[in-house]
Each structure stands twice: as C-alpha cells, then as structure tokens.
Amino acid sequence: MQLRADDALTHPGSLLAPDGRIIAPYDLEQRDTEIGEHLALASQPGILNAAAHPFELDYSQVAVAHVINGMGVTLGDSIIGLTALDAILQAHPQVRFVVYRPRLAPSYVEQLYALAEGSVATTRALPWPLDAIPSDEARIDIGNHLFWPGFMSKPMIDFFLGALGVQPASVPSAHKANRWLQALRLPPLPDVWRDRPYVLFCPTASTPIRSIAQPVRSALVSRLFEHFGLPVLGFGAVDHPHYVDVSAFSPDTAHFLAWVRHARYMLTSDTAAVHIAAGFDVPTTAFFTTIAPELRVRDYPLCRAVVLELPELRNVQASEREQDMARLNAAYALAMRGELPFELLPTASPDGTAAETREP
C-alpha cells in the first residue's frame, strides 16, 4: 500500500522507504525535510501487524521475535510495552526479543531500553533494512501505536499484548505490574537520603492537562507532610518549607527510577512515575484527568486513583489551552475540599528496610 506524505505520519504502522529500509513515522516528523512517499510495512509479506490483521502467535514455537517500531516514544508507554515482553518471557523464556526503536526518540526514553538491554530485549535503531531481518523469524510491527484502533479504549498493557499476538486474559495480573524493573541495576541515592525515609511528589506529566495543577501543589505537599510526617521530595520547584527539590540529583532515567524505588509513598498524576512505582511496589495515590484510571492502573494493587470530573476533556492526549487549564485548576480545587485516599505506609526497621504496615 502506497502512502502519500500527508498520510505517513498518522499511519497505524511502520513505513518502508523506496530503498527498502524500515522507517519510523516519528523520525520523519522530527526532521525538517520532505517526507515523500512510502509503503506501509504491513503490506509486505510476512509482517505481522494487528492493526491491519489481528493475529495470535504461539510463542512456544518462537526463538526470536523482532518487534518493529516498539514501544513508543514516551517513558510510560515504553515501561508498559516492555512489561508486555517480560510477561511473554515469563511463560516462554526461550524467546529473544529484538526491538527496533525510532532513532530520534528522547534520550531519557532510550535510557530505559539501555537499562533493559539483554534482560528483556535487545534494541536496534531505525532505519533498518527489511531484508536484514530474517524472514523465517517472527516480525511484528507495532509502529505509530498512538493511531491504532483500541489504543484509547483498552488498558495499555492489554493493548500491547494484543499487538504482540497474545490474548491479554491469558496473562496473570501479577505479570502486568512492571515488576521487571526490580531487576535493573540502579545507582544509589545521595548519602544524605540513602537511609532516610521520604515520600515523593511527582506532579509533572508529559502534558500540562495530565499534570497536577500548579495552584494546588504547595497544598498537596502540606497534605503529604501532615499525613506521613516525613520530608517530601520531588522534581521541580514547590514553595513549601517541608519540600526538597531533588531534580539536580536525578540527571537521568536510572536515577529517577532509583528515587521512586526508595520512596515510602508517592503522590503523582497520570504519568510514567505511577508505572514505575507499581513496579517497585511503592504505595501511590494518582490523579487522573483525561484518561480513565482502569486503562492505566487496573493491575496496580497499591495504587489509589483520584478521578477528576472533566467530561469535556475525556481522552484528550495533550493540551495546554487556556480554557482547558482553567477547567483543570477548578477540578483540582474541588478535589482539595475532600480527603485524599492515601494507602497504608510501610514502617521501616532499624536498617532502613520495610518492616510492617501501619496507619500513618
């Protein structure tokens, strides 16, 4: 199938250039050059693309699976996409996954794949010649998944499993909670925080409409300090005497993961931090504005979701329009009038490890 230049960027799949190389639509979007015409990769023989033709793959018979243009260019999507691969590996450890990534994806996202290299998947950068991927091995196209039918209506982990040819119901919920993160080698915290308990405040998502509203951030820090009696650490400035901005001590994705891993509790929004916390079994409260929480945190038993009433913005992926931000601020102001559903907080033993659970 030949794609015109104006269709290539939103095509539900990867692209094939005239020279036979597989191209990520995202990479074309990032370049200030003529897009030209491309073929749909899914139109080529032997390419599996569930958006074009749903399929099931018997992974017990698979030695190598090539995942082309997975798993998106955001940190949250990538965590969940890699969780889908890990869930398959739990049942079929003989499989080796090779993931082909957009070359121009953000560096902080690529750092996650570097951390997972060799344990969950091996990564390669697009463009990549199609004829260099063995035709007798599984070749699965998940390119441009943001534009696939079902992406906005299914839990994200189920979407990725289906795109990989797996029935989501066949995977236990415990394998959908990102716990492969616990096997990563992460840096230690700075000495001053290494043995000190803290709660974590992660208010900023990839778009303002899914972030915690600026006007209530200081008040939320107060709630956290009053409830837990612990210092509140976070990323970005918040004017509060019990808040510490640790952005300078989080220069990369590995350090960010470490800060979440060692938190006693976390308050966040619909962002990557909520998926990281689930992977490390960190109790969490998360605000949801435009996305239904069951599509994101259904399999996270320690996450308590707070749904803000914003029906006009349902399923909006990104926005910073003035009228939308006014609605967001009003919804947060209303939520602040009530109690927030904080979970139980694990106490610490003398050596700094979690010991038992108590009411704060």
Side-chain angles (χ1 to χ4, degrees):
M1 180 176 64
Q2 192 83 26
L3 296 171
R4 296 177 303 173
D6 54 354
D7 294 327
L9 298 185
T10 58
H11 171 66
S14 303
L15 309 173
L16 190 66
D19 64 2
R21 295 184 306 159
I22 301 170
I23 305 293
Y26 178 85
D27 286 343
L28 293 179
E29 186 179 11
Q30 301 308 302
R31 293 192 175 103
D32 187 20
T33 59
E34 186 69 28
I35 293 175
E37 292 189 346
H38 295 77
L39 291 174
L41 179 63
S43 67
Q44 303 304 296
I47 298 297
L48 301 172
N49 179 307
H53 301 287
F55 67 94
E56 289 189 31
L57 189 58
D58 181 2
Y59 279 93
S60 69
Q61 303 301 310
V62 174
V64 182
H66 300 267
V67 180
I68 300 168
N69 206 359
M71 306 282 184
V73 295
T74 68
L75 189 57
D77 289 13
S78 292
I79 290 169
I80 298 175
L82 288 170
T83 294
L85 299 186
D86 181 70
I88 295 171
L89 291 172
Q90 296 290 326
H92 306 287
Q94 87 287 349
V95 178
R96 181 169 69 89
F97 283 107
V98 182
V99 179
Y100 298 78
R101 298 280 304 143
R103 183 174 295 273
L104 301 179
S107 62
Y108 67 89
V109 177
E110 295 314 287
Q111 290 165 21
L112 178 72
Y113 290 89
L115 290 168
E117 182 75 23
S119 59
V120 180
T122 297
T123 57
R124 296 172 178 168
L126 294 171
W128 195 270
L130 174 59
D131 62 10
I133 303 177
S135 60
D136 60 347
E137 296 176 345
R139 299 180 296 175
I140 307 168
D141 177 23
I142 319 183
N144 239 15
H145 68 261
L146 182 64
F147 300 99
W148 285 36
F151 178 67
M152 291 298 296
S153 60
K154 298 177 182 178
M156 194 183 296
I157 182 62
D158 290 357
F159 170 83
F160 277 118
L161 287 168
L164 291 163
V166 175
Q167 285 289 341
S170 70
V171 177
S173 179
H175 293 171
K176 298 179 178 181
N178 316 321
R179 291 192 174 92
W180 61 272
L181 292 171
Q182 296 181 13
L184 299 182
R185 297 184 63 181
L186 302 178
L189 297 184
D191 289 344
V192 67
W193 292 108
R194 195 166 300 172
D195 297 317
R196 292 179 62 187
Y198 61 87
V199 295
L200 197 62
F201 184 48
C202 297
T204 306
S206 58
T207 174
I209 200 62
R210 294 208 313 270
S211 300
I212 294 176
Q214 286 280 356
V216 302
R217 292 186 182 185
S218 180
L220 285 171
V221 170
S222 289
R223 292 276 188 101
L224 287 169
F225 182 75
E226 292 165 3
H227 194 84
F228 295 114
L230 295 174
V232 181
L233 277 53
F235 308 95
V238 177
D239 184 14
H240 195 282
H242 297 294
Y243 175 82
V244 180
D245 182 2
V246 294
S247 299
F249 301 101
S250 185
D252 54 31
T253 298
H255 284 84
F256 180 60
L257 295 176
W259 283 110
V260 178
R261 178 179 192 168
H262 294 288
R264 300 281 295 284
Y265 201 91
M266 188 177 71
L267 178 62
T268 187
S269 60
D270 176 20
T271 185
V274 75
H275 307 301
I276 298 168
F280 291 119
D281 294 317
V282 175
T284 300
T285 296
F287 289 99
F288 286 83
T289 55
T290 66
I291 305 296
E294 58 268 21
L295 301 184
R296 297 292 185 264
V297 300
R298 179 199 61 192
D299 300 292
Y300 303 167
L302 296 182
C303 181
R304 302 288 295 275
V306 179
V307 182
L308 302 187
E309 296 301 324
L310 291 163
E312 311 93 336
L313 300 177
R314 178 63 63 191
N315 291 336
V316 171
Q317 283 288 332
S319 177
E320 52 185 312
R321 297 189 309 166
E322 183 177 348
Q323 60 267 41
D324 292 341
M325 300 313 296
R327 293 189 182 104
L328 181 77
N329 292 345
Y332 268 101
L334 180 62
M336 292 296 291
R337 297 177 188 173
E339 294 294 322
L340 294 179
F342 291 129
E343 272 284 3
L344 300 178
L345 178 70
T347 62
S349 61
D351 63 0
T353 59
E356 60 184 20
T357 303
R358 65 170 175 84
E359 288 283 0

